Amino acid sequence: MKVKSVKYFYFGVLIADIVIRLMDASELDKFVKPLMMPVLLYYLIQKTSCRIYKLYLLLAAAIIMAWIGDILLLNQQQLILPGGILAFLITQSIYLYIFKANSIGSFRSLLSNNIPVSLMLSICYIAFLCVSVLLIEGNIKYAVIFYGAVVTTATWYSFVQNKLPKIRYLKIGMSLFLISDALLASKIFFFTVPLAPMLIIGTYGLAQFFI
């Protein structure tokens, strides 16, 4: 299958999942959503012509862990939820490692040269931290808070690093990941935003593709 065909198939699966959620057909969603990451992994393999480089192996590992997280979070059961968070924590940790390894300059210089982005993300995380501490019950709140710190840091590095190609897509991807995670956390722990299921899968699918 050609690279373009795989890309179109991925977006076909994504659109199908959005439609399924719009129809509230949760049983179908259990079959369709787990298809996304394997298709994206195949797209990565085709796009890179099966070349084995450290960057591609890391991206493949991140996609595989996201796939595991997708499966574990399908039912959002309390017993499975920590496993889903852990899987996505590993995914975001891999992204963080990739972005940090490709940054130029010290942390202090990056911080001073990117004050607007740093302030915006800091405010977002502090707000998330306050809401999590006040509203999430049990020890799961600490996992959520730590995950929030990792994904926020990964997003920051995606904005300030400048060695990876097509950096604008990384910025879009990580920004969409933040939106998707915020909507998902709201749905699980706080309240459901109108059209949340469709927005969650839409922003998540686009985020993974852009990254």
Side-chain angles (χ1 to χ4, degrees), residues 136-169:
I136 299 179
E137 298 179 354
N139 292 330
I140 192 71
K141 76 169 63 175
Y142 302 111
V144 173
I145 290 170
F146 183 67
Y147 174 82
V150 172
V151 71
T152 303
T153 307
T155 303
W156 183 77
Y157 269 108
S158 75
F159 271 81
V160 302
Q161 66 81 23
N162 54 15
K163 286 171 63 177
L164 290 171
K166 299 182 179 179
I167 186 172
R168 65 182 181 278
Y169 294 119

Side-chain angles (χ1 to χ4, degrees), residues 110-125:
L110 290 172
L111 191 63
S112 61
N113 292 331
N114 297 275
I115 292 176
V117 173
S118 303
L119 282 175
M120 180 184 68
L121 290 174
S122 296
I123 291 170
C124 289
Y125 180 71

Side-chain angles (χ1 to χ4, degrees), residues 15-200:
I15 292 169
D17 202 8
I18 292 173
V19 173
I20 286 169
R21 290 173 179 235
L22 188 61
M23 296 168 57
D24 199 23
S26 57
E27 290 302 316
L28 282 175
D29 185 47
K30 293 178 182 179
F31 293 99
V32 176
K33 187 181 179 185
L35 292 175
M36 288 178 56
M37 291 304 103
V39 174
L40 187 61
L41 180 60
Y42 185 63
Y43 175 75
L44 174 67
I45 293 171
Q46 291 290 91
K47 185 79 171 176
T48 58
S49 303
C50 300
R51 287 171 292 184
I52 301 176
Y53 295 129
K54 182 179 179 181
L55 175 61
Y56 300 152
L57 291 175
L58 286 171
L59 287 173
I63 292 171
I64 291 170
M65 292 311 302
W67 176 59
I68 294 172
D70 285 343
I71 294 172
L72 292 176
L73 290 180
L74 273 175
N75 294 320
Q76 297 174 7
Q77 298 175 359
Q78 292 299 318
L79 291 176
I80 304 177
L81 191 58
I85 294 173
L86 177 60
F88 276 106
L89 175 62
I90 295 172
T91 293
Q92 291 296 341
S93 297
I94 293 172
Y95 289 151
L96 172 57
Y97 173 81
I98 293 172
F99 300 153
K100 186 176 185 300
N102 287 278
S103 61
I104 298 177
S106 65
F107 175 79
R108 181 175 294 181
S109 65
L110 290 172
L111 191 63
S112 61
N113 292 331
N114 297 275
I115 292 176
V117 173
S118 303
L119 282 175
M120 180 184 68
L121 290 174
S122 296
I123 291 170
C124 289
Y125 180 71
I126 290 171
F128 168 77
L129 180 64
C130 294
V131 172
S132 299
V133 169
L134 292 173
L135 299 181
I136 299 179
E137 298 179 354
N139 292 330
I140 192 71
K141 76 169 63 175
Y142 302 111
V144 173
I145 290 170
F146 183 67
Y147 174 82
V150 172
V151 71
T152 303
T153 307
T155 303
W156 183 77
Y157 269 108
S158 75
F159 271 81
V160 302
Q161 66 81 23
N162 54 15
K163 286 171 63 177
L164 290 171
K166 299 182 179 179
I167 186 172
R168 65 182 181 278
Y169 294 119
L170 296 178
K171 294 176 181 179
I172 294 171
M174 287 307 301
S175 298
L176 288 171
F177 230 125
L178 275 182
I179 295 170
S180 179
D181 284 340
L183 290 169
L184 181 60
S186 175
K187 181 175 179 289
I188 295 174
F189 299 110
F190 312 129
F191 56 88
T192 302
V193 176
L195 300 178
M198 288 70 74
L199 292 172
I200 290 169

